[in-house]
Amino acid sequence: MKVELENLTKRWGDVFGADSIDLEITDGELVAFLGPSGCGKTTTLLMVAGIYKPTEGVIRFDERVVNHVAPKDRNVGMVFQSYALYPHMTVFRNISYPLKLKKVPQEEMQRRTQQVADMMGIGHLMDRKPAQLSGGQQQRVALGRALVKEPDLLLFDEPLSNLDARLRLSMRGEIKRLQLELGITSIYVTHDQVEAMTMADRIAVMREGKLLAYGSPEELYDRPRTLFIGGFVGNPPMNFVDVEVVQENGAYHARRGGFDVVVPPERGGQAAGHGTVIFGIRPEDVAIADDGVPGEIYVVEPLGRDDLIDVRMDEEARVHVLADPALGLRIGDNVKLRFNTDEAQFFDPETEQSLLWA
Amino acid sequence: MAETVVGAEAGVARAQTSRWAQIKATVGAWSFMSPAIFLVLVFFFIPAILLFVLSMTDLASSNFSDPWTYIGLENYRRLFSDRFFPKILRNTFKYVFLTLGFFNVGLALVLALLTSHINRRASFLFRLLWLLPRITPSVVYIVMWRRFVQTPPYGIINWFLSMFGVERQPYWLTEMPWLFVVLVNGFVGASFGMIIFTSAIEAIPKDLFTAAKVDGASSWQIIRDITLPLLRWPLLFVTTYQTLSLLVSFEYILLLTQGGPGLYTTEVWALTAYKRALKTYFGSHAWGYGAAWGFILVIIGVVMSVVYLRVFRFDELVQEPKIDVL
């Protein structure tokens, strides 16, 4: 099922929960609403579920406007951060509850509930109450309950945030695979950009009720349209340094103090002549080398596979670099940095818009 | 098991420390419970025993010169052979269960459900208003009711009825004494359950209601399948607590009907006990006989508590203590 949000707005008095959101989700797509807490992603989700009435705007399921359709008639399944399992019901009754409400015959209800529970790997826990289950099992029950009624749309509200890191990783994969297999259009609300990057076909980045960007993970990662997206998407986050871009002998240079790197003309050309601009570069595009921009190591954070090195180039300019732990770098070492400027980003410091992908 | 590994001596030492820890834990537990035990002893057990002792005497104002004559179970024989004993017993249960069912639990639950579905501010105000009769002195409250039901030109109810052209305007209290006995008590009694139920409903995580709505439940189905089952504990608590408090309450009936109209029409057990012991004609206070009535009421209360505890399986609701043993 296709979902379309048009100028969707939710206001409580003067407070905007969501501010004119426009976006379209194609059939079978998994879209992540990504943003810090209080950005309006859950508000938008609850409007799609029918719990909140939009102040303005239109929600369409396929061609049908559903603004005034009650939640029970929208055929959506929802999974919550708190799991929201009914504590007084057994696993079986939790999963079968949507079917019971639909007055599905007993026998079919039994069969479908068992089938979903088996798919989720909790078929043997049918008689337990939620309090007798682990967090991961509870989340599986919640997923089962959302899936059992064969919804046209699945809504996830930070479903993995209450799980421990390892379980989160495996559930992430499972949800993604399940969604692909069943081909159910899904909205996935999260504040974790790794989750959004790994799971979503497209990501809607939100802040303060507004939709800032909507695109595939690669698009957001490679072509961030604003400073906020550049800094928010990607882990560890992008480095930002104030520079001035000048053209010299046909080559573009990004410069500040002792920092001077050559940037490719298709990028440098866009940033030249703007005075001071913000130069953005991801940690994986900076390398410790034999020659390049000099700096002093300020902090070394071992991440296991890499060391995350914080290098101070001058008083105000610091960059994070991913380096090979085998290099044995230590705090205080003097190093040289080489920048892969093919991936350089430039932003206007005033408007915070990208100078490359306007 | 561990002892065999660490050796016999260490095992003994460990057993000793664990015994010491056990003693400490026991003492700790008892010292925490002691204030409550003290109160229950002083204000329940000792009075109940005194009451029983008193009920075996003929202590009364008519023979005060020669008090404390032990007469065995004579007072109880007299009580059970009282012509009105069955009626009073019936009245008592009628009063308790009608008030409980329709008001203290029934209306309280309805009000709690209604107020939790409306705007917070409005519901707060509503609950506050509903609490007013509870903090109004009983006498003022009852005098107000007696005015309500009066014949013209005093009665407000009749005044309203005349607006609708109803000709018959009796003194409603003697017309339908039971209706008003239950109503007057229930109107006040409902506020207690309402407060308890409201806070219990508000304590239910919002996500559960959202989930139920998304699952396809209507408002009524949400109340039936989610809210009510999750109110089990407060429901049982209010039912039990209010049963016991209604059993021993009589002041509104005393002020409203004095057990009448006519012979024992609305007289309940607690009122009889009060009248026998402390409000008999010609100043003849039959303390011993009244104590017998009172003691039977204690027994009824205890039996009902035990029945409730069993039927509602309170022990299942009591969780393992969350505090670690000291």
Side-chain angles (χ1 to χ4, degrees), chain A residues 7-291:
Chain A
N7 187 33
L8 194 64
T9 301
K10 180 69 187 176
R11 249 194 327 256
W12 290 278
D14 294 336
V15 185
F16 276 91
D19 191 356
S20 23
I21 308 280
D22 282 295
L23 66 83
E24 197 186 306
I25 302 166
T26 57
D27 184 37
E29 201 176 17
L30 193 155
V31 166
F33 289 179
L34 175 65
S37 54
C39 74
K41 52 197 194 300
T42 299
T43 306
T44 309
L45 191 79
L46 288 175
M47 281 195 282
V48 174
I51 305 298
Y52 289 163
K53 294 260 174 298
T55 314
E56 272 169 55
V58 177
I59 304 167
R60 269 194 212 95
F61 287 0
D62 283 332
E63 300 312 320
R64 175 168 155 245
V65 175
V66 294
N67 281 32
H68 297 289
V69 176
K72 68 190 177 73
D73 300 320
R74 294 193 183 197
N75 199 25
V76 297
M78 191 159 170
V79 182
F80 299 79
Q81 179 178 355
S82 64
Y83 319 132
L85 298 177
Y86 310 123
H88 55 291
M89 298 187 191
T90 59
V91 169
F92 176 83
R93 286 190 54 214
N94 262 288
I95 297 178
S96 63
Y97 188 57
L99 300 180
K100 193 185 142 205
L101 292 171
K102 274 189 178 174
K103 301 204 165 58
V104 170
Q106 189 68 32
E107 210 171 301
E108 191 191 338
M109 185 165 98
Q110 200 93 30
R111 185 178 54 76
R112 276 168 69 179
T113 306
Q114 190 64 48
Q115 193 184 342
V116 165
D118 288 341
M119 183 168 76
M120 299 308 308
I122 44 167
H124 57 296
L125 302 171
M126 288 299 215
D127 296 325
R128 300 262 191 101
K129 293 262 179 79
Q132 297 165 306
L133 302 175
S134 70
Q137 289 168 332
Q138 289 187 44
Q139 196 53 287
R140 283 162 196 275
V141 177
L143 258 168
R145 184 178 63 184
L147 290 171
V148 77
K149 60 177 170 181
E150 295 164 4
D152 295 321
L153 176 64
L154 270 173
L155 305 175
F156 297 92
D157 191 1
E158 310 222 5
L160 306 181
S161 300
N162 279 8
L163 300 176
D164 64 63
R166 251 178 85 171
L167 202 53
R168 199 179 309 156
L169 215 71
S170 64
M171 281 299 277
R172 198 166 81 191
E174 272 186 64
I175 292 179
K176 167 112 183 167
R177 222 203 55 202
L178 205 66
Q179 193 268 340
L180 275 174
E181 268 173 23
L182 301 173
I184 304 172
T185 313
S186 303
I187 300 177
Y188 190 102
V189 162
T190 180
H191 62 260
D192 180 345
Q193 52 94 20
V194 178
E195 232 168 81
M197 293 285 283
T198 51
M199 296 179 73
D201 298 313
R202 280 196 283 178
I203 300 175
V205 183
M206 296 179 72
R207 188 169 63 160
E208 287 162 5
K210 289 194 171 65
L211 180 64
L212 296 185
Y214 185 41
S216 68
E218 300 74 33
E219 215 176 307
L220 294 180
Y221 192 78
D222 295 335
R223 296 190 289 281
R225 281 160 179 271
T226 66
L227 189 68
F228 174 76
I229 295 165
F232 192 64
V233 175
N235 187 27
M238 190 182 277
N239 297 298
F240 297 114
V241 182
D242 287 347
V243 297
E244 201 168 331
V245 179
V246 291
Q247 192 186 9
E248 249 177 43
N249 309 327
Y252 288 91
H253 291 259
R255 273 197 194 133
R256 63 170 290 137
F259 174 88
D260 186 341
V261 292
V262 178
V263 290
E266 66 273 18
R267 299 202 176 203
Q270 311 262 24
H274 283 271
T276 303
V277 296
I278 298 170
F279 167 77
I281 190 91
R282 295 195 183 277
E284 58 266 38
D285 294 321
V286 189
I288 307 284
D290 296 331
D291 60 340

Side-chain angles (χ1 to χ4, degrees), chain B residues 196-217:
Chain B
I196 302 277
F197 296 147
T198 306
S199 50
I201 291 172
E202 273 169 18
I204 298 174
K206 254 204 153 92
D207 278 353
L208 288 185
F209 296 120
T210 307
K213 278 185 207 164
V214 171
D215 281 347

Side-chain angles (χ1 to χ4, degrees), chain B residues 281-293:
Chain B
Y281 305 101
F282 316 120
S284 63
H285 302 292
W287 292 303
Y289 185 43
W293 281 86

